[in-house]
Amino acid sequence: MSKELKKMRRTALLGSAATLLASFALGAGVTGASAQEADTMEDFDLEEVVVTGSRIVRKDFTSASPISVTSSADIKLSGFTRVEDMMNSLPQIEAAQTSFISNGATGTATLDLRGMGTVRTLVLVNGRRLQPGGLSNAPDINQIPASLVERAEVITGGASATYGADAVAGVVNFVMKDDFEGIEISAGISGYQHNNSNDYIQGLMDAKNFEYPDGSSGIDGVAYNVDVTMGGEFADGNGHATVYATWRKVKEFLQADRDYSSCALSAAGTSCGGSGNAEVPNFYLGAPDDMDFARRWTLDPSSNFVDGASNVYNYAPVNHFMRPDERWTFGAFIDYEINEHARPYMEVSFMRDRTDAQIAESGTFFAEQYDLPYESGLLNDAQRQFLTDTYGIGPGEQFGVYIGKRNVEGGPRANLISHNAFRIVTGVEGSITDNWSYDASFQYGSTTFVSNYVNDFFAPNIREALENVEYDVFQYQGVTPEQAGGLTGVAVLEGITKEYIANAYVTGDLGLTVPSAEDSVQAVIGIEYRKEVFDSNSDTVFSEGQLLGQGGATPSVEGSYNVKEVFGELVVPLPATLELELGGRYSDYSTSGGAATYKVALSWNPIDEIKFVGSYNRAVRAANVNELFSPQARGLWGGVDPCAGASPELTAAQCANTGVTAGQYGNISLSPASQYNALYGGNPTIDPEKADSWTFGVIANPMAGLQMRVDFWDIKLEDAIAIIDPEIAVRQCGLTGATEFCSLINRGNGGSLWLGNSGYVVGTNVNTGGQHLQGIDVAADYTTDVGVGTVSAKISGTYMLKKITDPVGGLENDEYDCVDDYTSNGCFAQPVWRHTMTVNFTPDSFWSVSAKWRYFGSVGGLGDGSVDDHIAAQSYFDLKASFDVNEHVGFLVGVNNIFDKEPPLVGGNFSTNANTFAGFYDTLGRYLHANVQVAF
C-alpha cells in the first residue's frame, strides 16, 4: 500500500481526529480507534499542540469555540483539485468567487464564512495570514495546493484577539504538510457528465426556437492535475525540508453545454428572456431634445421600424459556465534546529494562475444618445418617412437614437486574467527556559494581477462609424464582420497587493496556580506590525469607461495603511475542572485610530465523557484599501426596478418618492437583462465595524467510538462597512419615503435607471446598520469494527436560526431575514438545515469504499407557483473506492452526484450565474474523477 493511501485510510478511520480534532480532550475516551487500538494507546505520551484560535501550547485538542476540521483524507476522497470546491461543500461556508462565475469574475477563489462577506473571513496558512489575492482584497485560496493540505480548520468566534480584529465571522486555517517524508507523485483527471432532459426550460426554448443540447453530454469540463511532493531530513536530522510543485489545467465549459443554462431566464423565470441589445438591433428614437423612451423599435426583414418590445437576445450560450484555468504552484517548508534555543524556519510559495472569463458578445448597450442627420446614408427612405410621421422630424434636422445592437458579428468578449502570488515567511523559534518559548517572524506576501479585457465595443469607434456611415445598424442584418472588426478595443488593468507582517510573541507557564486547580496559568504576550498596500492601475480605456460593455469606468486605486498591535492570552485552570481563557488585542490603525478586541471563554469538564464550553468575542474590523480609497465610478447592479414596466410593483405615489413623474409611471422600460446603473466607490471617512459573538456548546463521548459536539453561536455586527443595496434603496424609498434611501436615487432619461448613464443609484461605501446571525452547529463521529473491517461514520451540519440584515440602521421595519428566503432584498439561498454525512468501510484488504450524502434543505421563495416559488431540498450522493496495487502504487476513483441531480433553477432576478446559485449547489451534473499515486 502506498504511504499516502495508508495515511489517508487511517485518517478516514480515525474520523474524530479529522472532524472533531479541536473538539475533544483525548482523555474523554477512545477517539475513533477500535478497542484493540485503544489498548495500545494507554501509555501514549501526548505531544503538546497549538489549537487554532489560540497561540498557547496545550495538552489537549479542546477548543471553546465551534470548530470544524476537514482532513487531507476528506479532501482526497472528494476528488476536487480546487480547494474552493471542497470548502464550499461545508455547511458553514457560502459560495463567493468561484470558477463558476464569468461575468464579474476576479479570477480568484474566496471564502465566505457564514455568508457575512469574504472580507470578514480571515484565512490563515499554518496560523499566519494569507495575503489578499488581487482585485477582491480577499485572500485567494487558489494559492493553496489541495494535495499539500494536512487539514483545514474552520472556527467561529473567539479568534480576533489571537489573529487580528478582522476575523469577524471567524477563521479558516489551512495546516500544511510541512513534515513530509519521501517522494510522492500524484496525477488525476476529472470531468462532468449530464443527461440533458429538463422539460421545463426546453419547452421555453422551443417557444423561442432556441438551440439546446439534448441527451447525454458525454464527458466535458475535463481537468488534469499533477502534484509532486518530496521531503526528508538533512544535517544529521537537525533539519527538515518539504518541497512541492503542482500543475492543474481545466478546460472551458460553456452555458450552451447544458440545457438548463442554454437560455437566460427572464426576471420571473417564466420565459427565456435575454438582453435588449439584440442581434437585430433595438432603438429608442425621437427628437434630440425630446426622446421617446416609452416605445422601443426594431427592424423587420425589410428594414422597417416595428415594435421591438419582444426582441431580445439570448446571451447565455456563449458565456462560460466554468472558466478555463491553468495554475502552477511551487513551494517549500524548511526548518533547522541549531539548538533547543534557536530553530530557524522558512515557508515559501509561488503561484501563477491564468483564467479566461468569456461572456456574451459586446453591444452598444443604449449607452449614449447619438444625434444623426435626417439625411444620413444609414437610413432608407421608408425610415426617414417613419421619423417624419412619428416624431415630426424632417429634412435638415437631426434625430436622436439610443441603439441596442449585439456584436454577434465580432464574437464574444472576454476578460483574460492572470495572477502571480508570492509568499515568504521566515522566522526563528525556540525555548527560553524549560517553561517559556518564543517565536519571532517576518512575512511578506504579494499578488500581481493583470486583467486584459478584449473584444469589447470601443465607444469612440461606434460614434465615428455612425457619423461616417460605416456601421449599418439600420439595415436588417446589415452589419458585416468587417465592420464589426474595427469597432472593438482592449483595456488593461494591472496592479499589485502587498502585505508586510512582523510578529513576535512569548508563551509559557506563569508558575501561578489557582488554589485547588490542578495546572498552572499559561500565558502569551506578543506584538505585531502589519502593512497593507494596494495599487491598481487602469489604462485610459478603463479609467474613462470607453468600453461599452463595462457598465462604467474602472478607475485606478492606490492606497495603504498600517496597524500596530499588542496582544495577549491567558489560560487559567480553575477548581472543579473549570478552565478560563482570556484574550485581548489592541490595534492602532493609521486610518481609523485605536480599537480593542477581546475574548472570554469558559469550559467545564465535570466527567470524562462530557464537556461544556462557552465564549464571548469582540471583533473590530477597519476598512480595507478598496473600501477606503476606491474612486467613485459607474457600475451595474442586478435586480429589478419596482417602478418600471407597464404595471409597476409599487404604486404611483410610492414611485413618486423615487423620482418618477406621473407621466413616466407605467412608461419606464424594464431592463431586459435585469441590469441597472449604480455609482460605486470608497469612503475615506468610514468608521470601523464592530461585532460581538457568543458561543455555547457541549462535547460528549457517550460511548466508545462515538463523539458528538453541538454548538450554539450568535454573531451581531454593527456599523457594517457596506453599500446600501441599490434595489433595497429603491424599494425602501418607495415604501417609506425615508431620505436615507431616496437621496441615493437619481432617475435619468424618461425615469430610467439603465438607459444611458444619466440614471443611477448611489452605492458608495457607508456604515450601514449591520447583521445578526444565529445558528447551531452539529458534529458527530462514530467508528466500530464490523466483521473483517471497520465502519466509520461522521456528520457535520448547521441549523440556521436567523440571518438578519439591517440595511441602514435606526429605521423601523427595514430589517429582513435571509434564512429560508432567497427572494428578498438580494438574499443568498440559505437553507435552515444543511449537512454532509460520510460513511467509510475499510476491510482488511487492498480496497476501501466511502459514501457521502450532501444535503441542502429547502429555501422559501415567492410562493406563487413560478420557478421562484421555492427551492426544493437537494440531496447529492457521492461514492468513492480506493485500491492498492502494491506497496508504492494506489489509485482512487469516484463519482460525485451519482444520480446526476441538476442545480435548482431560479429567475434572472436571483441567479448568480446560469439560472442558478452557481458553485453553491452542484452546478454541472455528475462529477467523475480518478487519481493515481506513486510514493516511495
Side-chain angles (χ1 to χ4, degrees), residues 455-586:
N455 209 34
D456 203 349
F457 268 163
F458 184 54
N461 288 357
I462 302 296
R463 179 172 290 279
E464 182 179 346
L466 290 170
E467 292 173 350
N468 294 336
V469 196
E470 296 173 347
Y471 190 33
D472 287 323
V473 291
F474 294 103
Q475 304 306 313
Y476 183 81
Q477 296 188 344
V479 177
T480 66
E482 290 74 23
Q483 289 180 346
L487 300 178
T488 60
V490 175
V492 179
L493 170 68
E494 59 182 15
I496 187 171
T497 63
K498 293 184 283 189
E499 182 178 72
Y500 306 84
I501 302 175
N503 176 285
Y505 65 90
V506 295
T507 179
D509 190 329
L510 289 178
L512 303 174
T513 303
V514 174
S516 300
E518 295 184 1
D519 298 312
S520 56
V521 179
Q522 306 289 310
V524 165
I525 187 168
I527 56 174
E528 182 171 292
Y529 170 83
R530 177 165 55 92
K531 183 177 182 179
E532 303 282 355
V533 179
F534 182 82
D535 187 1
S536 170
N537 298 302
S538 297
D539 67 359
T540 302
V541 178
F542 257 141
S543 61
E544 295 182 359
Q546 294 177 342
L547 294 184
L548 295 183
Q550 298 303 300
T554 303
S556 299
V557 181
E558 182 179 3
S560 66
Y561 70 89
N562 64 72
V563 55
K564 306 176 184 71
E565 299 178 293
V566 58
F567 58 88
E569 295 180 67
L570 288 175
V571 173
V572 184
L574 300 173
T577 64
L578 289 166
E579 185 175 84
L580 175 68
E581 296 181 37
L582 302 172
R585 175 179 289 253
Y586 182 79

Side-chain angles (χ1 to χ4, degrees), residues 10-83:
R10 183 173 63 250
T11 309
L13 288 177
L14 301 180
S16 60
T19 57
L20 304 178
L21 173 65
S23 299
F24 299 99
L26 293 189
V30 181
T31 59
S34 65
Q36 289 85 351
E37 288 171 317
D39 292 338
T40 67
M41 297 171 61
E42 291 180 356
D43 299 322
F44 182 68
D45 185 15
L46 183 62
E47 180 183 359
E48 294 182 325
V49 296
V50 177
V51 174
T52 297
S54 174
R55 284 190 168 92
I56 290 179
V57 177
R58 52 202 302 151
K59 290 186 177 182
D60 62 57
F61 290 126
T62 304
S63 169
S65 299
I67 190 166
S68 172
V69 181
T70 301
S71 71
S72 60
D74 296 324
I75 295 172
K76 286 183 180 293
L77 289 171
S78 74
F80 294 129
T81 58
R82 293 187 298 245
V83 173

